[in-house]
Amino acid sequence: MSEPVRKAWERSLTSGRAAMSRRRLLQGTSLAAGGALLAACGIPAAEGGDSEEKDKTKDLSDKEKVLNFANWPLYIDVDDDDENKRPTLEAFQRESGIKVKYVEDINDNNEFYGKIKPQLAAGQDTGRDLICLSDWMAGRLIKHGWARRLNPANLPNAVANLEGRFRNAAHDPGRQYSYPWAGTAAVIAYNKKATKGKVVKSVTQLLEDDSLKGKVSLLTEMHDTMGLTLLDMGKDSADFSDDDFSAAIAKIQKAVDSKQVRRFTGNDYMDELNSGDIAACVAWAGDVVQLQFDNPDVQFYLPDNGYLFGTDDLLVPAKAKHQKNAEALIDYYYQPKIAAELAAWVNYICPVVGAKEELAKIDKELAEDPLIVPDAKMIAKGHNFRQLSEKEETRYEDQFAKLIGA
């Protein structure tokens, strides 16, 4: 791993999206008491691209009703009275007879990749039957041949209920290897009390509106901040040049030099956006939903030129011994009722058709929130960050690190 990339994932791990507590505000931090994520990264040329064909690991699912599932922290529903209970997961175990060992050991895509890569490269079982990774990292494993091709016969709910826009992905054409656990979005957020009622609509406004000077924050995640800036400049975040990227860096640098930008943040912008110390910022959609539970002054805007969109994907790593059991769990969460229960808790974009109606039975406001169930307008404005080569990733992360002073 190059030094710029290593530093980038360390930022993510300590304060970025990787460090997000997805229900942080509802579990430990009381806003009422004063309230103090498509991206794409390098998918290198496959070192063992034919390893999928060589993977003849016997599936033990019929004999062993067990499943090892690795996920991000706080990325599943939890019982309000007992944080050790996960209602939908426990229901799956009762209905299927499959005992799930659920481990929250994915704190960062690159860190986790570094943990399992030696085993995958050596053709060994990682000890995990199902993992959840951001789309670009899922694509890396697929490119290497380190993901198992899924059997659609075991996924009737997923095949039928996957929302149309998720059915084909650059990192997994035709969804042969992965299914989304949730969608992610980076948008513009603002505190209308702090802006005195002014709506903040674009990155240009964040960087140039004098009324916001010193009260603007951008994310330390390169893909989100730079992707939104490229879109703001009329460029395609999925197809841009080195010169385009450098021009976007220069645009932000000017705002940094003028003190327009208060700072670059991970998810720690939430408390300051809530209090109004940050008037406007680049934010993750799930955070905005959580803040709005207690503070109606927090609003979001989808820039006219679009926002950054991605997915966190479920996939079965090579040499996994319980693929059929993993497919059973994927399929279970593609039932609209179950998908709604998950979405009501994690507050991320739900990829399941029919979940909106079920979510309305739980919480009508959540069902109408486009940050959880996107409407046609939001869907049309979503853009991905293009896939990068390892050299590009290193070069761009280095430029961005210098910009943010990391």
Side-chain angles (χ1 to χ4, degrees):
M1 187 182 299
S2 65
E3 186 65 10
V5 175
R6 185 187 66 79
K7 289 182 177 179
W9 76 251
E10 285 181 349
R11 291 197 303 272
S12 180
L13 181 62
T14 55
S15 64
R17 183 166 174 264
M20 288 180 6
S21 296
R22 289 173 166 83
R23 295 285 284 194
R24 178 176 71 92
L25 301 180
L26 301 183
Q27 285 192 311
T29 302
S30 172
L31 290 177
L37 137 305
L38 228 130
C41 203
I43 299 179
E47 297 169 337
D50 63 345
S51 61
E52 183 194 357
E53 283 67 36
K54 295 178 181 178
D55 186 357
K56 303 299 182 182
T57 304
K58 185 177 180 180
D59 191 343
L60 303 178
S61 295
D62 290 337
K63 293 183 178 180
E64 298 180 359
K65 294 298 181 181
V66 297
L67 173 65
N68 297 305
F69 180 12
N71 203 351
W72 299 72
L74 296 172
Y75 211 8
I76 197 169
D77 53 304
V78 174
D79 187 282
D80 289 337
D81 298 319
D82 186 348
E83 63 182 17
N84 294 314
K85 292 183 177 181
R86 303 176 177 95
T88 58
L89 191 61
E90 293 184 2
F92 168 76
Q93 294 181 93
R94 289 193 301 269
E95 293 177 20
S96 67
I98 297 170
K99 184 177 181 180
V100 180
K101 180 181 179 182
Y102 184 82
V103 182
E104 297 178 327
D105 67 342
I106 302 177
N107 291 302
D108 175 86
N109 286 288
N110 279 307
E111 179 205 33
F112 186 74
Y113 178 70
K115 186 186 301 183
I116 64 175
K117 180 181 177 181
Q119 295 162 300
L120 292 170
Q124 299 172 352
D125 180 13
T126 66
R128 301 165 180 85
D129 302 302
L130 187 66
I131 58 180
C132 182
L133 296 172
S134 296
D135 48 15
W136 57 269
M137 182 57 77
R140 181 179 294 182
L141 266 64
I142 293 168
K143 184 76 171 180
H144 276 291
W146 291 341
R148 301 287 293 271
R149 190 186 303 268
L150 301 175
N151 183 354
N154 295 331
L155 299 162
N157 291 317
V159 171
N161 297 329
L162 177 62
E163 187 185 321
R165 66 186 170 128
F166 295 100
R167 289 185 178 275
N168 197 37
H171 68 286
D172 184 12
R175 287 292 177 186
Q176 299 179 70
Y177 298 88
S178 67
Y179 272 84
W181 178 249
T184 61
V187 300
I188 301 293
Y190 62 97
N191 184 317
K192 66 180 182 181
K193 185 175 181 180
T195 65
K196 296 180 172 57
K198 179 182 290 187
V199 177
V200 182
K201 299 182 178 182
S202 68
V203 171
T204 291
Q205 190 174 351
L206 288 175
L207 302 181
E208 298 179 4
D209 188 332
D210 288 339
S211 70
L212 303 176
K213 188 169 185 176
K215 303 186 75 176
V216 169
S217 71
L218 305 177
L219 294 172
T220 56
E221 300 282 347
M222 183 269 285
H223 304 91
D224 295 320
T225 292
M226 296 307 298
L228 277 176
T229 303
L230 285 161
L231 288 170
D232 181 80
M233 297 169 65
K235 304 300 180 180
D236 185 350
S237 60
D239 184 18
F240 59 86
S241 67
D242 285 354
D243 287 344
D244 294 334
F245 189 87
S246 294
I249 288 283
K251 182 180 178 74
I252 300 173
Q253 185 68 62
K254 183 178 179 180
V256 170
D257 294 342
S258 70
K259 308 300 183 182
Q260 175 78 9
V261 174
R262 180 185 183 93
R263 64 192 185 100
F264 290 84
T265 74
N267 68 305
D268 50 320
Y269 66 85
M270 294 174 71
D271 292 328
E272 290 179 272
L273 179 61
N274 177 66
S275 68
D277 289 334
I278 289 176
C281 61
V282 174
W284 287 299
D287 290 345
V288 176
V289 175
Q290 292 176 16
L291 285 170
Q292 287 178 328
F293 284 137
D294 294 289
N295 189 348
D297 287 330
V298 174
Q299 301 289 314
F300 75 95
Y301 193 87
L302 301 180
D304 293 340
N305 287 353
Y307 67 94
L308 260 291
F309 169 77
T311 56
D312 289 330
D313 292 344
L314 297 173
L315 59 81
V316 178
K319 298 297 180 179
K321 295 179 180 178
H322 306 99
Q323 177 173 339
K324 189 175 179 181
N325 292 344
E327 291 167 339
L329 186 139
I330 294 172
D331 200 56
Y332 171 79
Y333 278 95
Y334 270 80
Q335 298 175 84
K337 184 177 184 297
I338 305 303
E341 291 179 33
L342 178 66
W345 209 91
V346 302
N347 301 148
Y348 276 68
I349 295 171
C350 181
V352 180
V353 172
K356 179 176 182 177
E357 293 74 16
E358 294 294 335
L359 186 57
K361 299 175 184 177
I362 300 172
D363 189 317
K364 291 183 178 180
E365 290 187 11
L366 288 180
E368 296 301 323
D369 194 326
L371 297 183
I372 298 177
V373 185
D375 54 21
K377 178 182 178 182
M378 184 165 181
I379 290 173
K381 287 189 172 185
H383 296 264
N384 296 117
F385 197 96
R386 77 168 172 84
Q387 296 179 355
L388 304 177
S389 69
E390 286 186 286
K391 289 183 178 179
E392 286 176 324
E393 181 184 1
T394 295
R395 186 166 64 251
Y396 292 163
E397 286 288 7
D398 187 45
Q399 286 182 261
F400 188 69
K402 292 175 181 176
L403 170 70
I404 68 176

